[in-house]
């Protein structure tokens, strides 16, 4: 699981890698060499390296982001892991993330919570949490949300 989780993070950090792997004119041998280097640096399990080579052989390596995303969804389903996105005005400390995850765990009854932190300065302060199937759960503890709520109350009154 950790290997598959590493791949999208690496691709996001080096966009040229995604372009390189998705390029159909690039020789498969070169793609495999680059993936072997990545696998060695990241200490991938041999199964992961073999899987990546299979994707190259079958001309599916360009779909790696979508494959990793689907794998993550299947993994979370099988381990009763609830995925929650926490959007905050500033980067949250690990302790703050832990507290939010613990509270979501209590609310949902899930065995595990996986937080995906995001930063959105337009929130002004606080945070917004989306969780559940298709982001159906929503908690808005942001300053922007409170301002919006006050504005709606003033308009109604």
């Amino acid at each position: 699981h950790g290997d598959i989780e590493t791949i999208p993070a690496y691709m996001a950090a080096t966009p040229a890698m995604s372009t390189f792997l998705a390029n159909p004119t690039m020789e498969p041998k070169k793609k495999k060499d680059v993936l072997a280097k990545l696998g060695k640096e990241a200490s991938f399990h041999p199964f992961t390296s073999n899987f990546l080579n299979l994707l190259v052989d079958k001309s599916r390596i360009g779909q790696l982001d979508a494959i990793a995303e689907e794998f993550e969804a299947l993994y979370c389903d099988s381990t009763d892991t609830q995925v929650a996105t926490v959007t905050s005005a500033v980067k949250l400390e690990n302790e703050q993330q832990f507290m939010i995850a613990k509270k979501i765990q209590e609310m949902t009854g899930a065995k595990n919570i996986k937080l995906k932190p995001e930063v959105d300065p337009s929130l002004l302060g606080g945070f917004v949490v989306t969780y559940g199937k298709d982001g159906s759960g929503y908690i808005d503890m942001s300053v922007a949300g409170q301002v919006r709520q006050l504005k709606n109350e003033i308009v109604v009154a």
Side-chain angles (χ1 to χ4, degrees):
H1 170 252
D3 292 351
I4 300 296
E5 206 172 45
T6 301
I7 294 168
Y10 184 80
M11 297 295 199
T14 51
M17 177 73 137
S18 294
T19 305
F20 171 79
L21 291 174
N23 185 345
T25 62
M26 196 58 62
E27 293 179 32
K29 170 86 173 97
K30 288 183 181 179
K31 292 179 182 182
K32 287 182 179 182
D33 290 344
V34 168
L35 289 169
K37 267 187 195 174
L38 172 62
K40 188 175 181 181
E41 286 176 20
S43 302
F44 284 169
H45 189 279
F47 290 162
T48 304
S49 296
N50 289 343
F51 178 68
L52 293 173
N53 287 333
L54 179 66
L55 291 177
V56 171
D57 291 341
K58 299 296 181 181
S59 301
R60 298 289 188 263
I61 197 69
Q63 303 299 315
L64 189 54
D65 284 337
I67 291 167
E69 189 175 309
E70 186 60 27
F71 177 86
E72 185 67 24
L74 291 171
Y75 179 81
C76 288
D77 282 348
S78 69
T79 59
D80 192 20
T81 300
Q82 182 81 243
V83 179
T85 303
V86 180
T87 307
S88 58
V90 295
K91 187 175 188 256
L92 295 174
E93 298 293 325
N94 286 342
E95 187 176 317
Q96 293 169 316
Q97 290 182 29
F98 175 77
M99 298 292 281
I100 293 168
K102 189 174 177 182
K103 190 65 176 172
I104 293 170
Q105 190 174 19
E106 289 172 12
M107 291 170 53
T108 63
K111 285 184 186 173
N112 306 300
I113 300 293
K114 178 179 179 176
L115 286 184
K116 292 185 175 184
E118 295 179 358
V119 175
D120 180 1
S122 71
L123 294 178
L124 305 175
F127 59 90
V128 174
V129 180
T130 54
Y131 62 94
K133 293 282 184 197
D134 304 320
S136 58
Y138 186 80
I139 302 168
D140 189 347
M141 301 295 289
S142 68
V143 172
Q146 291 172 358
V147 168
R148 193 172 35 256
Q149 188 177 5
L150 281 172
K151 180 181 168 187
N152 289 340
E153 287 176 14
I154 291 171
V155 170
V156 171

